[in-house]
Amino acid sequence: MNNLKELREKAGISKSGLARLVGLSRQSIYDLEGESVPMITTAYAMANILGVSIYDIWPDTTEIEVEKVTIRRVKK
């Protein structure tokens, strides 16, 4: 259970609007308002846009997926 829909509506942002601001599809927002778990960067982006903490959106969540990042150092 999460508070994404409630907080999004309180902020006056549509699903399409939030999707555009975060760089996701409207369907992804619909899924995240259900049981889907976001990537950590998505969670922080949404929280920032809504002006809340990620824990305000997902209060019972201990599982937020971390995106895989590859860092390469280029030697000159």
Side-chain angles (χ1 to χ4, degrees):
M1 181 73 179
N2 67 62
N3 300 318
L4 181 57
K5 182 178 180 180
E6 176 186 334
L7 292 168
R8 176 184 58 73
E9 289 175 344
K10 183 177 179 181
I13 301 173
S14 67
K15 285 180 186 166
S16 297
L18 184 58
R20 187 177 63 255
L21 291 169
V22 179
L24 298 174
S25 68
R26 184 178 177 281
Q27 180 62 45
S28 294
I29 300 301
Y30 179 81
D31 292 343
L32 289 170
E33 287 182 352
E35 297 297 319
S36 290
V37 178
M39 293 291 195
I40 190 74
T41 53
T42 301
Y44 278 111
M46 288 182 175
N48 186 44
I49 290 164
L50 297 174
V52 298
S53 162
I54 61 171
Y55 302 107
D56 292 329
I57 302 172
W58 294 278
D60 299 328
T61 299
T62 56
E63 172 189 334
I64 293 180
E65 296 179 20
V66 177
E67 292 179 84
K68 293 180 182 178
V69 177
T70 302
I71 300 173
R72 292 189 179 111
R73 189 172 120 187
V74 179
K75 294 183 179 182
K76 293 183 178 185

